[in-house]
Amino acid sequence: MNAVRGTPSWLGGVNDRTAVSLLLERGELTKNQISELSGLSKPTASLIVGRLEAVGIIRAVGEVPGTRGPSAVSYAVRADRILGVAINISHLVMQSTVVDAYGTEHPVAETSLSAAASERSAVFDITAGIHSACVASNLSPDAVQMVCIGVQGSVDSRTDALNYVDLLPGWQRKGIKEHLEEALGLDVFMENDVNLAAIAEREYGAGADTASFALLWMGEGLGLAVDLNGSVLHGASGGAGEIGFLPTPHSAANFGSTAKNLQELVGGVGVSKVAKSHGLSKRGYQALFEALVDDPRGDAIFAELAPRIAVGIIPVLAVLDPARVVLGGPLGSAGGSRLAKLVQSAIRRDSVWVPEVVATTVPDRPVLRGAVTFLVAEVREALIKDVSSAAPKFTNHSTLHDHQHHPLQRK
């Protein structure tokens, strides 16, 4: 039976969750520090700490020297109580890493995958990713309760269908989330890879200080994510941002291109053709993007690519008018500020919009970083909910008085 709002047991649960929230936000704290930050009395803070330690949600981690008297014990949330695993999966490679409530930087495991559909399935791949991540961090998979998967496609939350995905051998396209949750016994979150990269850009990169931005991902494929005031736009079917399918406008004829859509114009194939016309040819798109960073022909190649990229961005500006455009993906990283300035000039020359265009500043693995950022919030929420189920009924009536002055009450 759930506790009634306002009763000692309910108020005790609120205080327990507040203490855990403070420890997650501030790190290690003593009982007195929890009392000061929460507005609770020292005796009540002491009771809360004792109860949370007894049920294994927090633990003593050290001592803080006092100005008078003995040292105070500091406490921290047991980050290994609930874990998640963040995964970025492509055709032949999967990156995975453990996620805890503190957002600790755990090692990243990279797993090679077979190209044969007969050897692959969603359950097989994700199980392998979880196992590899846990081995890399020397942690038990038993504590993993959730997983966030970045895919090169979109997930329709209405129908649980995986769309715009061509290169995940053995993966079913319908009922994918439900299938994974039933087979793995975990909470499963699936998200478009570029949307996750936008989350990382908002948290760590060029989107941190602006109200809205559009992230144009340029690699072997082409994708777009739009962040409006911290929320990523998904669209009715999850297909917002699949910009590569847009037909090439008539103005592209000025480039002498026969590309039928934006993917062919500025995706990996289009970039490869432009680079080859300048005498730069590499085996594999990744090798080509890496070569563009230092190759002396890079400036000329970027100058030719910039107006093509602008052609793809202008429709986005016409519909959404974001304050900033971020060039991401392997090509955006390779081009850096050089390419960003050229694209900004091309947009302002060929249209009425004047957005700021910048290069991504997320250091590495943006998709995986976005999945980690997303999952940290989910793990924290699960941990705070776990407080209510793990802690015994609270019966100390002094909490009633403390709660009236509680500055951190959460709904």
Side-chain angles (χ1 to χ4, degrees):
M1 181 176 179
N2 294 329
V4 178
R5 293 173 68 92
T7 63
S9 59
W10 179 81
L11 294 173
V14 170
N15 291 335
D16 288 345
R17 291 190 294 274
T18 296
V20 171
S21 296
L22 283 170
L23 287 165
L24 289 172
E25 292 166 6
R26 302 296 185 97
E28 299 175 13
L29 295 173
T30 65
K31 294 175 183 178
N32 284 349
Q33 288 171 327
I34 292 173
S35 170
E36 292 168 2
L37 291 169
S38 66
L40 296 170
S41 69
K42 291 181 180 179
T44 299
S46 182
L47 285 171
I48 291 169
V49 168
R51 182 169 57 254
L52 293 175
E53 186 179 19
V55 296
I57 290 176
I58 69 173
R59 63 185 169 192
V61 292
E63 293 185 346
V64 179
T67 55
R68 291 178 294 180
S71 299
V73 177
S74 61
Y75 296 87
V77 171
R78 286 192 56 182
D80 59 347
R81 184 181 178 94
I82 296 178
L83 299 175
V85 171
I87 292 176
N88 176 28
I89 187 167
S90 58
H91 182 203
L92 298 176
V93 177
M94 175 171 53
Q95 299 170 338
S96 61
T97 187
V98 169
V99 178
D100 63 37
Y102 282 112
T104 306
E105 288 273 352
H106 287 276
V108 175
E110 192 161 291
T111 306
S112 296
L113 300 170
S114 170
S118 60
E119 300 177 18
R120 298 272 299 275
S121 72
V123 172
F124 177 87
D125 288 350
I126 302 308
T127 299
I130 293 171
H131 175 76
S132 297
C134 290
V135 168
S137 292
N138 195 28
L139 291 168
S140 171
D142 293 341
V144 175
Q145 293 190 14
M146 59 190 71
V147 60
C148 179
I149 308 164
V151 296
Q152 295 177 345
S154 67
V155 181
D156 188 337
S157 60
R158 303 171 306 174
T159 62
D160 193 15
L162 193 58
N163 300 319
Y164 310 112
V165 178
D166 297 323
L167 296 175
L168 284 179
W171 281 52
Q172 65 188 67
R173 298 297 186 259
K174 296 186 180 297
I176 181 65
K177 182 177 183 292
E178 180 181 7
H179 173 63
L180 282 170
E181 289 186 332
E182 289 182 356
L184 300 174
L186 306 174
D187 290 330
V188 174
F189 304 94
M190 298 189 70
E191 180 61 277
N192 170 263
D193 57 348
V194 184
N195 286 345
L196 289 175
I199 291 174
E201 205 71 57
R202 167 66 74 179
E203 184 75 11
Y204 305 105
D209 60 347
T210 185
S212 62
F213 69 92
L215 171 66
L216 181 63
W217 181 275
M218 298 176 291
E220 180 177 355
L222 190 69
L224 180 85
V226 178
D227 178 301
L228 301 176
N229 297 313
S231 296
V232 175
L233 182 65
H234 288 85
S237 66
E242 296 293 344
I243 197 171
F245 293 100
L246 282 178
T248 306
H250 293 298
S251 58
N254 298 330
F255 311 135
S257 173
T258 59
K260 296 179 181 179
N261 54 43
L262 293 182
Q263 168 67 34
E264 294 180 6
L265 185 67
V266 289
V269 172
V271 174
S272 181
K273 287 181 178 180
V274 171
K276 192 171 184 179
S277 71
H278 288 268
L280 178 60
S281 180
K282 292 288 181 179
R283 185 172 182 177
Y285 296 121
Q286 188 60 40
L288 173 60
F289 297 136
E290 291 173 357
L292 285 171
V293 176
D294 299 316
D295 194 282
R297 291 162 289 191
D299 286 341
I301 293 170
F302 290 140
E304 188 170 338
L305 288 173
R308 299 178 178 222
I309 296 170
V311 162
I313 293 174
I314 288 172
V316 179
L317 300 175
V319 176
L320 297 170
D321 193 22
R324 182 175 296 166
V325 174
V326 181
L327 304 184
L331 181 60
S333 296
S337 60
R338 289 185 295 167
L339 180 59
K341 290 177 181 177
L342 290 167
V343 172
Q344 178 173 285
S345 296
I347 291 173
R348 296 184 177 188
R349 181 186 65 239
D350 299 335
S351 75
V352 297
W353 287 277
V354 289
E356 179 186 18
V357 180
V358 300
T360 177
T361 55
V362 177
D364 60 349
R365 301 189 182 97
V367 176
L368 194 65
R369 285 184 179 274
V372 169
T373 300
F374 174 88
L375 212 49
V376 166
E378 296 296 330
V379 170
R380 286 190 172 195
E381 182 66 24
L383 186 60
I384 290 172
K385 287 181 179 178
D386 202 29
V387 172
S388 299
S389 60
K393 297 288 186 179
F394 191 80
T395 56
N396 189 310
H397 288 261
S398 66
T399 311
L400 285 168
H401 175 74
D402 290 333
H403 183 73
Q404 293 171 358
H405 306 284
H406 197 310
L408 294 174
Q409 179 182 351
R410 299 190 178 195
K411 296 180 179 179

